[in-house]
């Protein structure tokens, strides 16, 4: 028991689609359970998020073939917040208050997640968030099924520092300008300094969403890497800005042997739209790759291809995170015997489901999961070859111990009514979380 606990002692797919989605509106009986899907189908983030919408339709279809949940079929309600962060909040409210969804699966950027948090708190609904993020958060109404920094960013830096990873000495933190990269870079900068990296060996650069003119920035990376020390780029570039970034790396002859790039937001889906021949050897850190070789993943890929009708459509890490979140929600609803938010939240802590890499995803009291960490090299076919992996599953840390202000901070939602998202074990008090950067 943590300090917080002690202190607080028919087989078809139902899909209601909005304008811009890819299927017609269908009428359903009142005995379906509605599930919200909140992903950008247009704008700068559509390159990444559209696949997650398709993934949710696939998962709901699979569950309906099994008989649904609590004897009812599931009905997906899909909206398009169009890569517009305030619109995410409006669409979340629409899903919960107007459409009456039992839970919402969605968001990608931390800006979109931060936008919807007040809505989920006010209306007491559940968001399953399927993307790696910066941590520094633990909310009653959110289940974080992607990686926290200790499950992606920190292990990636450790790998690059090792002899196996190239014994990197100089670091470029190249980022899109919003909350996830800024907070992740705050953690990474402190971590690098704690490891003895001099401030002058750390370069941090931010560009806006959708940035396309990378010539000057890539030239600056090359100049920074010419100081005689092994240099790497840690990339938190998000969305469609990745396509011209990697293209400019190739144009300027920046190879993985010279200056390797490790990305936290580039997976198989993003690479599918690029010429990867010049990107071979660059890296990504995730908790899942399509190339993972085991029966569970092979079955998932086979069923995904059958559903989507295209054998060339890839899978990726956020898809697996959505898969884990959906399966955990189904299990929690069945355990609770209801879709009531507080009952489901009480049931979900401690539940486990198999992941697609051969381990187990367990919901921790801080609403994060246990996950493996994989480092993969880009191959010419747009897939990743795993070059390093943790021996077991790593528990997600909501509050990074790298930051001095977070030492001794825990989160525990074992009881959703009396839990705390930021509990100071030194003072035995539940604190208000600091505002996002």
């Amino acid at each position: 028991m943590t300090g917080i606990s002690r202190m607080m002692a028919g087989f078809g797919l139902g899909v209601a689609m909005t304008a811009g989605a890819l299927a017609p509106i269908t009428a359903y009986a009142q005995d379906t359970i509605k599930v919200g899907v909140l992903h950008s189908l247009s704008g700068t983030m559509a390159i990444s998020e559209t696949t997650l919408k398709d993934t949710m339709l696939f998962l709901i279809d699979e569950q309906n073939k099994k008989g649904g949940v609590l004897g009812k079929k599931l009905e997906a309600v899909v909206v398009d917040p169009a890569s517009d962060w305030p619109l995410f909040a409006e669409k979340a409210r629409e899903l919960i208050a107007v459409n009456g969804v039992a839970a919402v699966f969605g968001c990608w950027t931390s800006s979109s997640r931060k936008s919807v948090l007040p809505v989920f708190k006010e209306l007491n609904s559940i968001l399953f968030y399927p993307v790696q993020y910066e941590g520094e958060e633990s909310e009653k109404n959110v289940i974080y099924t992607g990686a926290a920094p200790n499950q992606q960013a920190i292990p990636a830096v450790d790998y690059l520092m090792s002899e196996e990873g190239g014994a990197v000495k100089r670091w470029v933190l190249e980022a899109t300008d919003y909350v996830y990269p800024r907070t992740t870079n705050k953690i990474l900068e402190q971590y690098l300094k704690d490891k003895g990296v001099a401030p002058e060996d750390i370069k941090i650069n931010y560009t806006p969403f959708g940035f396309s003119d990378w010539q000057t920035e890539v030239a600056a990376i090359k100049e920074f890497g010419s100081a005689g020390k092994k240099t790497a780029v840690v990339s938190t570039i998000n969305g469609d800005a990745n396509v011209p970034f990697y293209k400019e790396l190739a144009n300027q002859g920046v190879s993985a042997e010279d200056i390797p790039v490790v990305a936290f937001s580039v997976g198989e889906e993003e690479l599918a739209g690029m010429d990867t021949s010049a990107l071979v050897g660059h890296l990504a850190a995730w908790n899942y790759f399509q190339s993972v070789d085991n029966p569970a993943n092979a079955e998932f890929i086979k069923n995904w291809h059958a559903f989507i009708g295209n054998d060339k459509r890839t899978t990726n890490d956020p898809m697996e995170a959505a898969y884990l979140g959906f399966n955990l929600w189904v299990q929690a609803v069945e355990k609770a015997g209801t879709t009531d938010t507080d009952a489901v939240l009480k049931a979900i802590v401690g539940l486990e489901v198999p992941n697609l890499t051969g381990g187990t995803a367990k919901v921790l009291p801080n609403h994060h999961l246990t996950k493996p960490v994989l480092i993969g090299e880009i191959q010419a076919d747009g897939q990743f070859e795993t070059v390093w992996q943790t021996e077991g599953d790593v528990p997600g840390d909501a509050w990074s111990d790298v930051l001095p202000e977070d030492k001794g901070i825990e989160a525990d939602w074992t009881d959703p009514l009396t839990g705390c998202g930021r509990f100071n074990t030194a003072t035995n008090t539940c604190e208000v979380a600091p505002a996002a950067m």
Side-chain angles (χ1 to χ4, degrees):
M1 181 178 291
T2 69
I4 302 164
S5 299
R6 291 192 297 271
M7 182 192 80
M8 301 294 187
F11 283 72
L13 170 62
V15 187
M17 306 291 282
T18 61
L22 303 178
I25 295 175
T26 307
Y28 290 91
Q30 294 300 308
D31 62 351
T32 61
I33 296 174
K34 293 182 179 181
V35 177
V37 181
L38 182 66
H39 283 300
S40 295
L41 310 180
S42 57
T44 189
M45 292 308 303
I47 186 176
S48 299
E49 292 193 66
T50 300
T51 287
L52 291 187
K53 178 268 295 180
D54 293 338
T55 301
M56 288 308 305
L57 301 187
F58 162 57
L59 294 172
I60 290 169
D61 185 49
E62 291 283 293
Q63 189 62 35
N64 280 339
K65 289 176 181 176
K66 300 173 186 176
V69 177
L70 299 181
K72 300 180 180 181
K73 293 301 175 65
L74 300 177
E75 174 187 347
V77 184
V78 179
V79 295
D80 177 16
S83 306
D84 180 335
W85 317 143
L87 188 57
F88 268 85
E90 293 180 30
K91 292 296 184 181
R93 185 175 295 276
E94 176 185 320
L95 286 171
I96 301 165
V98 178
N99 293 288
V101 300
V104 176
F105 296 80
C107 297
W108 182 290
T109 68
S110 287
S111 295
S112 64
R113 189 190 70 258
K114 295 287 188 184
S115 173
V116 304
L117 283 181
V119 177
F120 281 86
K121 291 180 183 180
E122 176 193 344
L123 302 178
N124 197 30
S125 187
I126 309 173
L127 172 67
F128 285 82
Y129 179 61
V131 187
Q132 85 292 347
Y133 88 119
E134 70 279 2
E136 304 305 288
E137 183 180 295
S138 179
E139 294 284 347
K140 166 193 168 183
N141 298 94
V142 183
I143 305 297
Y144 306 83
T145 63
N150 74 307
Q151 296 171 309
Q152 185 186 39
I154 297 296
V157 167
D158 283 341
Y159 172 77
L160 287 171
M161 281 183 164
S162 70
E163 290 297 326
E164 181 185 5
V168 171
K169 305 296 183 184
R170 292 200 107 195
W171 303 85
V172 178
L173 309 184
E174 192 70 41
T176 301
D177 192 3
Y178 74 108
V179 59
Y180 160 59
R182 284 195 172 271
T183 307
T184 299
N185 286 344
K186 178 184 177 183
I187 293 169
L188 287 179
E189 184 178 18
Q190 183 64 56
Y191 187 74
L192 290 170
K193 289 178 178 177
D194 290 345
K195 290 288 186 178
V197 178
E200 60 266 25
D201 287 331
I202 304 171
K203 172 182 168 59
I204 305 176
N205 186 55
Y206 293 97
T207 51
F209 276 101
F211 190 74
S212 60
D213 187 7
W214 284 98
Q215 186 173 355
T216 300
E217 278 69 20
V218 171
I221 290 171
K222 288 181 68 177
E223 175 65 23
F224 189 76
S226 66
K229 296 180 180 179
K230 182 64 176 180
T231 301
V233 176
V234 177
S235 171
T236 49
I237 300 168
N238 255 265
D240 55 12
N242 277 294
V243 176
F245 171 66
Y246 279 98
K247 186 177 292 185
E248 188 59 33
L249 288 176
N251 288 344
Q252 296 196 30
V254 179
S255 70
E257 289 76 19
D258 299 327
I259 303 177
V261 177
V262 60
F264 302 156
S265 297
V266 173
E268 294 86 346
E269 182 71 12
E270 289 77 17
L271 291 177
M274 303 183 200
D275 176 6
T276 56
S277 58
L279 305 183
V280 172
H282 286 302
L283 305 165
W286 290 105
N287 312 109
Y288 163 88
F289 291 120
Q290 177 174 311
S291 57
V292 168
D293 185 13
N294 65 46
N297 190 37
E299 181 74 8
F300 178 78
I301 294 169
K302 182 187 76 172
N303 292 340
W304 162 245
H305 285 161
F307 173 81
I308 208 69
N310 183 353
D311 288 349
K312 296 187 183 300
R313 283 286 295 270
T314 63
T315 59
N316 62 24
D317 179 280
M319 287 178 65
E320 195 228 15
Y323 164 87
L324 297 175
F326 180 78
N327 288 339
L328 286 163
W329 174 75
V330 168
Q331 191 178 135
V333 169
E334 291 177 339
K335 178 182 176 182
T338 176
T339 60
D340 174 76
T341 292
D342 288 334
V344 171
L345 289 174
K346 189 172 181 62
I348 202 167
V349 173
L351 292 185
E352 300 181 10
V353 295
N355 62 33
L356 296 177
T357 59
T360 301
K362 180 178 181 179
V363 182
L364 303 171
N366 62 11
H367 279 184
H368 293 65
L369 306 186
T370 55
K371 301 177 79 73
V373 186
L374 289 70
I375 308 293
E377 283 188 355
I378 298 174
Q379 304 298 294
D381 62 356
Q383 291 294 312
F384 291 90
E385 179 183 346
T386 301
V387 295
W388 180 87
Q389 181 174 349
T390 51
E391 290 186 8
D393 296 324
V394 178
D397 190 1
W399 302 99
S400 177
D401 292 337
V402 172
L403 300 177
E405 62 267 29
D406 286 348
K407 293 187 185 300
I409 301 297
E410 295 180 358
D412 191 336
W413 297 106
T414 303
D415 186 336
L417 299 180
T418 60
C420 176
R422 183 177 171 87
F423 183 79
N424 190 320
T425 58
T427 61
N428 280 336
T429 57
C430 187
E431 301 178 341
V432 176
M437 296 176 64

